[in-house]
Every structure is written in C-alpha cells, then in structure tokens.
Amino acid sequence: MKNTYVLHFDTTNYDKPIVYRLIRDYDLVFNILKAVILPKQESYLVMEIDGDVRQLELGLHYLQNQGVQVDPVTKNVHRNEERCTHCGACTAICPTGALAIERPSMFVRFDPDKCSACGLCVTACPPRAMEVSF
Ligand code: SF4
Ligand code: SF4
C-alpha cells in the first residue's frame, strides 16, 4: 500500500532522527517529495510511504507518538470545483500526473493520491482553483 502524507514537525522534534526508523523498524519505504525544514520553526515533509498495510499503520502511529502530526496530502491540497474551468493549463506543469486530461471528455481530472503538494499548479491556474496550504 502506498500513500502520500504531510509530516508536520514542531520546534521540539524537527531536528530529531525520526523518519529513518520507518525503514529500520517498520520495513517501510519512503520517498521524500518535498522538504521544508526551518531551524527552530515548524517544518514539514511531504512523503510517499509504501509498505504492508499493518506496518504502515504502526509506522504512522510511531510518528504520532514522536509528536509528528501526520496528515494525508489530500487534507492540504484541494481543487475548488466551482472555479475550475478545465482549461488544462495545470496539466502541463503538474510533475506527478495528479492533474491530467481525460479523453474524450477533455475534463481535467485531479487525483489527490498522486499529488506531491509541490504547489506549482497554484500559480499556473488562471482562476486560482488549486489550493495548497500547510
Ligand atoms: S489550470 Fe485551474 S482551471 Fe485550468 S484545469 Fe487546472 S485547475 Fe482547472
Ligand atoms: S500540487 Fe498541483 S502541480 Fe503539484 S503535484 Fe499536486 S496537483 Fe500537481
């Protein structure tokens, strides 16, 4: 099972060696898609985490016990469906294919599970339909 999460760190745990234990103790594989680590400030990582469902559950529980707030990326990225005109501008810039044109309808599909929360679509979208917030 593979999902993308946003890990929020606070000033007490941002510099602790926490995430490597997902590999060592929980047999999970992760891929860091985005990292904003600011000394003595709140920081976050966007990570794909892959592994056995039960191990994933245990690994996320471990992170939370370390004071890391774990959110599915879908909580931080949203498309305002009323604003989206399906113009397709975002599909050229989205690096993960989370925004893609469906054929033959030519509607632009947004798949949050593929999103890395990079934020590139926010400025690329003429009517500002894409919202990324942390
Ligand atoms: S650029 Fe904005 S309006 Fe155009 S398809 Fe993408 S989300 Fe919709
Ligand atoms: S934030 Fe926007 S551009 Fe970046 S991966 Fe997600 S949908 Fe694509």
Side-chain angles (χ1 to χ4, degrees):
M1 182 178 187
K2 180 161 74 174
N3 282 322
T4 305
Y5 298 93
V6 183
L7 278 53
H8 299 268
F9 298 84
D10 61 26
T11 53
T12 66
N13 60 17
Y14 77 96
D15 58 347
K16 301 279 189 300
I18 292 174
V19 296
Y20 83 98
R21 287 188 57 188
L22 294 176
I23 300 173
R24 195 192 71 178
D25 297 349
Y26 299 96
D27 201 23
L28 296 168
V29 176
F30 62 76
N31 181 25
I32 297 175
L33 303 173
K34 185 174 183 181
V36 177
I37 308 294
L38 303 168
K40 299 183 181 173
Q41 295 181 48
E42 292 184 4
S43 303
Y44 66 89
L45 294 176
V46 181
M47 290 174 45
E48 268 181 352
I49 309 178
D50 193 3
D52 174 80
V53 175
R54 178 65 182 147
Q55 291 300 103
L56 183 57
E57 196 177 298
L58 292 171
L60 296 180
H61 196 243
Y62 154 73
L63 291 175
Q64 286 159 346
N65 281 341
Q66 302 304 309
V68 179
Q69 182 188 328
V70 182
D71 292 329
V73 75
T74 48
K75 188 174 170 184
N76 297 86
V77 183
H78 174 72
R79 180 168 73 177
N80 185 325
E81 299 298 340
E82 290 182 2
R83 286 191 184 179
C84 177
T85 59
H86 296 269
C87 68
C90 55
T91 62
I93 203 165
C94 177
T96 64
L99 289 157
I101 295 175
E102 284 183 340
R103 298 179 193 277
S105 69
M106 302 306 282
F107 272 34
V108 174
R109 170 186 49 76
F110 172 48
D111 182 351
D113 291 333
K114 291 185 179 174
C115 176
S116 65
C118 69
L120 292 173
C121 56
V122 174
T123 47
C125 174
R128 295 288 188 266
M130 294 303 297
E131 298 160 4
V132 179
S133 59
F134 292 101

